[in-house]
Amino acid sequence: MVGKTVVMTGATSGLGAVAAETLARRGAKVVVVARDAARGARTMARLTAANPNVTHRLHLGDLSRLTDMKRVGAEIAEAEPIVHVLANNAGAMFKARQITEDGLERTFATNHMAYLVLTLGLKASLEAAGGARVVNTASAAHRGQRFNPADMQSLKNYSGPFAYGRSKLYNILFTRELARRWAGTGITVNCFHPGVVATRFGDDSGGWLALLARAVKTFAITPEQGAQTLIYLAASRKVAGITGEYFDRCAVIEARPPARDDAAAAALFTASMKLAGLPD
């Protein structure tokens, strides 16, 4: 990873922090997108300690806000004309249905729309790398979910786990469609299931959902274990040229049938572009 630039969301804690520090130790310059300035500063200190030979960078923005993601994407593209790896890793789950200032359901905005907007904002920088990689953190939580174009944002019968699972289905569908659209650009696009990882995820969800998240994590794997597939997809020569796939434990596996529906992937992409105000 010496000489390579990695852009990562969700790098201030959990498996993202482990992956960011590991890639930095291997020589990468890491560019972090974070919402919290204090956590971001602590992350910069850890990255500098891991690799003091490069200048790591922090960009602050709220992943649930389209204006922030467009701004951050433009700022990074200007500062980093070449990006070798983009890791869309941040995710959230909310007990109650919340609406962002853009009129989007917050889980949908944070876990799906941020992936799309930031990735498209960095397309030119990724193309300039001549063999860049986009890595999207998905989840086995997509099981049991289906794409419903009439209710993409969980307007009916909302629950935190259901909306989260649906957003993870969207991550896989987005990966497939972007890989198809970017075929021939030299950019690969893959996603993965990290496992049930003992991180801060879900702790701020509130009420019974936060208690459930903490209970589940008593049986979870460590962030170091959960980060391995992200590190593998970002750095391993073994996956060079592989695109549009879903990984678990550093191996390609088959996602559930609704996540392999190419018509749904195309429809989701088009609808999301419209919501983002971007040309399809």
Side-chain angles (χ1 to χ4, degrees):
M1 298 302 292
V2 174
K4 294 189 176 181
T5 298
V6 176
V7 177
M8 186 179 297
T9 67
T12 60
S13 65
L15 70 94
V18 172
E21 290 174 45
T22 300
L23 294 171
R25 283 196 299 272
R26 294 187 183 184
K29 171 183 178 178
V30 182
V31 179
V32 173
V33 179
R35 178 174 58 86
D36 187 280
R39 285 180 185 158
R42 289 193 292 269
T43 300
M44 288 296 102
R46 291 194 297 268
L47 292 173
T48 298
N51 181 6
N53 298 317
V54 298
T55 302
H56 307 287
R57 295 187 184 275
L58 173 66
H59 293 263
L60 295 175
D62 185 338
L63 289 165
S64 72
R65 298 177 59 187
L66 296 178
T67 51
D68 275 23
M69 285 304 94
K70 290 177 180 178
R71 172 185 56 77
V72 168
E75 289 175 356
I76 296 175
E78 182 177 1
E80 314 295 342
I82 299 176
V83 171
H84 300 88
V85 178
L86 167 61
N88 292 303
N89 173 65
M93 181 167 59
F94 305 97
K95 179 181 179 233
R97 192 173 193 274
Q98 301 176 28
I99 303 299
T100 70
E101 64 181 36
D102 301 301
L104 302 176
E105 189 274 314
R106 192 171 296 278
T107 314
F108 174 82
T110 304
N111 296 3
H112 166 61
M113 293 296 288
Y115 282 29
L116 178 141
V117 172
L118 185 59
T119 302
L120 294 179
L122 293 177
K123 183 182 180 183
S125 295
L126 291 162
E127 283 184 312
R133 305 178 184 193
V134 176
V135 182
N136 298 319
T137 302
S139 172
H142 77 277
R143 295 171 180 171
Q145 301 292 335
R146 293 183 179 276
F147 175 65
N148 179 1
D151 188 22
M152 286 174 50
Q153 301 186 55
S154 306
L155 180 63
K156 301 175 182 177
N157 303 317
Y158 178 90
S159 78
F162 180 85
Y164 176 78
R166 181 175 283 185
S167 73
K168 296 294 104 180
L169 170 67
Y170 294 167
N171 293 157
I172 303 174
L173 292 174
F174 169 63
T175 296
R176 290 178 69 88
E177 179 63 9
L178 192 65
R180 183 189 71 80
R181 289 179 176 234
W182 284 7
T185 64
I187 305 169
T188 61
V189 190
N190 292 293
C191 61
F192 72 101
H193 168 57
V196 180
V197 186
T199 69
R200 291 180 55 255
F201 179 80
D203 291 352
D204 299 327
S205 301
W208 66 268
L209 194 54
L211 294 175
L212 176 62
R214 293 189 185 104
V216 168
K217 283 182 285 191
T218 61
F219 306 98
I221 62 176
T222 65
E224 288 74 18
Q225 292 170 313
Q228 292 311 303
T229 304
L230 173 50
I231 296 166
Y232 177 75
L233 290 174
S236 176
R237 294 185 179 91
K238 294 180 180 179
V239 293
I242 297 176
T243 191
E245 299 290 354
Y246 174 59
F247 284 75
D248 183 11
R249 287 174 285 188
C250 301
V252 174
I253 65 168
E254 198 168 71
R256 298 293 177 163
R260 307 195 309 270
D261 185 336
D262 289 335
L268 172 67
F269 195 97
T270 296
S272 301
M273 293 290 278
K274 184 176 181 180
L275 287 171
L278 298 172
D280 188 9

